[in-house]
Amino acid sequence: MRKIVVLSMITLDGVIQAPGSPDEDPSGQFPYGGWVAPYGDEVGGRVVQEELSQRVDYLLGRKTFEIWESYWPQNAEVWPGINEGTKYVLSRTLKTSDWKNTVIIENLEAIKNLKNSEGPDIQVWGSSKLVPLLLTNDLVDELRLKIYPVTLGAGKRLLNEGTIPAAFTLTGCLATPSGVIIATYQRAGDVKTGTIGE
């Protein structure tokens, strides 16, 4: 069985839309594209380089895939593994792609089959519609969050209604000099409750 790992840059109020640049995803007249740029530093850069060097496959929503498809094939020197890893794209409208190692899948059942197959772990980047679907269906094994010290008030969010109750265990955490908290959470069974102080 393969692990599905969600990597996300997220604001304090849960927004994940267009972290990289103003023109990344302006849908809904989102005015804050590129909100991660002021928080770049050597520590955060080192973590990203470690992530980019991992041998993995990718599971992406259509919009994230189309953004990547127009950029990464020509810029593979930054992320060599992106062309070699298989890109699984969840889409009912996209039928083909010229980007090598791209497989288009159409439904949740295909994701479940993929998770139960043999191969490297599967990373999910961006994909604001796909991630809630995975969380709703308990298909996320690990969350790797980069939590930025900013609130935006509007935009696409990581967690939406429909996310199942689930417990996670913190397995790694560090803070960068610019104030970004990088935290890794592993899925850890059911939610437990109790009374404080007892």
Side-chain angles (χ1 to χ4, degrees), residues 28-162:
Q29 299 183 325
F30 184 69
Y32 301 112
W35 48 268
V36 306
Y39 302 99
D41 58 40
E42 185 178 335
V43 174
R46 190 166 58 246
V47 170
V48 170
Q49 285 306 310
E50 289 172 3
E51 291 170 343
L52 299 185
S53 68
Q54 295 171 350
R55 183 183 169 270
V56 296
D57 289 337
Y58 305 90
L59 175 61
L60 306 167
R62 180 185 56 81
K63 284 190 176 180
T64 297
F65 174 78
E66 288 176 343
I67 292 168
W68 284 24
E69 184 184 34
S70 67
Y71 181 82
W72 284 116
Q74 297 79 34
N75 295 277
E77 70 281 358
V78 179
W79 193 353
I82 192 60
N83 285 327
E84 302 312 315
T86 301
K87 280 80 58 186
Y88 297 95
V89 187
L90 180 64
S91 176
R92 291 192 179 97
T93 58
L94 188 67
K95 300 303 178 188
T96 63
S97 171
D98 293 331
W99 192 5
K100 71 175 184 176
N101 299 324
T102 295
V103 176
I104 298 164
I105 58 177
E106 294 187 355
N107 53 44
L108 186 65
E109 196 60 35
I111 296 174
K112 291 177 180 177
N113 291 338
L114 181 61
K115 181 172 169 48
N116 289 319
S117 67
E118 293 296 320
D121 288 346
I122 302 163
Q123 290 186 352
V124 183
W125 295 65
S127 306
S128 62
K129 289 187 177 179
L130 172 60
V131 171
L133 176 69
L134 296 173
L135 289 167
T136 298
N137 288 276
D138 200 15
L139 292 172
V140 175
D141 299 289
E142 183 175 301
L143 292 166
R144 294 184 192 168
L145 304 181
K146 295 176 183 71
I147 306 163
Y148 287 78
V150 62
T151 58
L152 300 179
K156 297 175 182 176
R157 297 176 188 273
L158 180 69
L159 303 173
N160 297 301
E161 284 188 34

